[in-house]
Amino acid sequence: MEIRTDLAIEAGEIFGKDNLPDGVKVQSQEGNNITITRIDVINEEGEKALNKKQGAYITIELKDVELNTLEIHNEVAEAIDKELEPFIAKTGGRPSVMVVGLGNRYITPDALGPKVVEKIVVTRHVQKLSGGSNDIDSRLGNLCAIAPGVMGVTGIETGEIILGLVEKVHPDIIIAVDALAARKTSRINRTVQISDTGIVPGSGIGNRRMELSEETLNIPVIAIGVPTVVDTLTLARDLIENATGDSLRENIEKDMLNSCGADNIVTPKNIDMAVARMANAISNGLNMAVHKGFDFNDISDYLL
């Protein structure tokens, strides 16, 4: 049975710390409330082993169970700001940034992207209308944002919408935010993954759409994702893999497949609150990364 996960850190854990395949480099650092793990997939061998494209994968994990204090919230936002900085800097100067909030705003576990977009400080229209006027605060970056919805609602492939916007708006870089799938429930709503390899909308639930990446859009695409669901069969395998033999595990997996089906996913009962908190932290980090000099840390009014 395939283990379904969008997280590079979980794909690497299958091999163990001492048995990582060639082409995969891992570094970790500890913060007060978070752990940051950087995984670099540097060649085809590493790409094949992890089933992840070559590139950088940065994972920010909460040590606490919930993102429920201002201190933890600020540390996550500042980490996102810091990790995004080198990706944005590669485009040179003060680039035009487009934030894309992927997902279905009407389905709570999939609403992360649209909720992030709601709290983004957009400035492209102000910059454009000012015509370079000195009246605009120099700390403000050039930022636009969109939540294009999903094909089931719009009837249009999300990738086609973004490609059309890129051709018209001409951003220098895209930052796409989406909900992901994890292998372990312990990482749901406690993990933020940042990567420079782009993203495939819907892949977390096995509904793969057109890829959003530098190869398809001709500009850098940075993906930010938070796991909000875990596949039922993947969860079952994770729970029993250390407690049973191979043959018994296979029988249990077959029973799970027959009784639950292959398309069910699990999400926590407090998913609405958790997604809202993560959306606040991510939008705060994005605002700090683009609008340098502003202090977006005082978000106590937004904490749930």
Side-chain angles (χ1 to χ4, degrees), residues 162-179:
I162 302 307
L163 181 59
L165 288 170
V166 168
E167 293 174 349
K168 182 67 176 179
V169 177
H170 304 295
D172 297 310
I173 185 172
I174 285 178
I175 300 176
V177 183
D178 199 7

Side-chain angles (χ1 to χ4, degrees), residues 255-291:
D255 289 341
M256 287 289 298
L257 181 61
N258 292 331
S259 61
C260 298
D263 298 324
N264 293 324
I265 58 174
V266 177
T267 195
K269 62 182 180 181
N270 67 336
I271 186 65
D272 51 347
M273 185 178 296
V275 166
R277 287 173 174 167
M278 271 299 186
N280 286 333
I282 292 172
S283 61
N284 234 32
L286 284 170
N287 286 330
M288 289 192 291
V290 178
H291 305 302

Side-chain angles (χ1 to χ4, degrees), residues 183-261:
R183 177 191 178 193
K184 298 181 178 180
T185 55
S186 60
R187 285 200 167 95
I188 293 180
N189 301 319
R190 292 180 57 189
T191 306
V192 180
Q193 177 174 271
I194 302 172
S195 70
D196 62 356
T197 59
I199 195 167
V200 180
S203 61
I205 58 172
N207 185 27
R208 297 175 64 88
R209 312 309 314 169
M210 173 182 167
E211 177 179 286
L212 305 180
S213 66
E214 189 165 3
E215 289 77 15
T216 60
L217 300 177
N218 297 314
I219 59 171
V221 177
I222 307 303
I224 301 178
V226 175
T228 60
V229 299
V230 58
D231 173 79
T232 305
L233 296 180
T234 301
L235 173 60
R237 181 169 190 169
D238 185 54
L239 293 174
I240 66 177
E241 67 177 0
N242 295 321
T244 64
D246 291 340
S247 59
L248 180 56
R249 181 171 64 240
E250 291 175 3
N251 289 333
I252 294 175
E253 289 170 1
K254 289 179 182 178
D255 289 341
M256 287 289 298
L257 181 61
N258 292 331
S259 61
C260 298

Side-chain angles (χ1 to χ4, degrees), residues 105-126:
R105 69 175 69 248
Y106 304 111
I107 300 177
T108 305
D110 198 32
L112 177 70
K115 285 185 176 294
V116 168
V117 165
E118 290 174 1
K119 298 184 180 297
I120 290 295
V121 179
V122 294
T123 54
R124 177 180 179 271
H125 60 304
V126 180

Side-chain angles (χ1 to χ4, degrees), residues 23-39:
V24 178
K25 306 298 182 184
V26 179
Q27 291 182 325
S28 295
Q29 70 180 68
E30 298 288 331
N32 293 329
N33 299 293
I34 62 176
T35 300
I36 300 177
T37 303
R38 295 178 176 85
I39 298 178

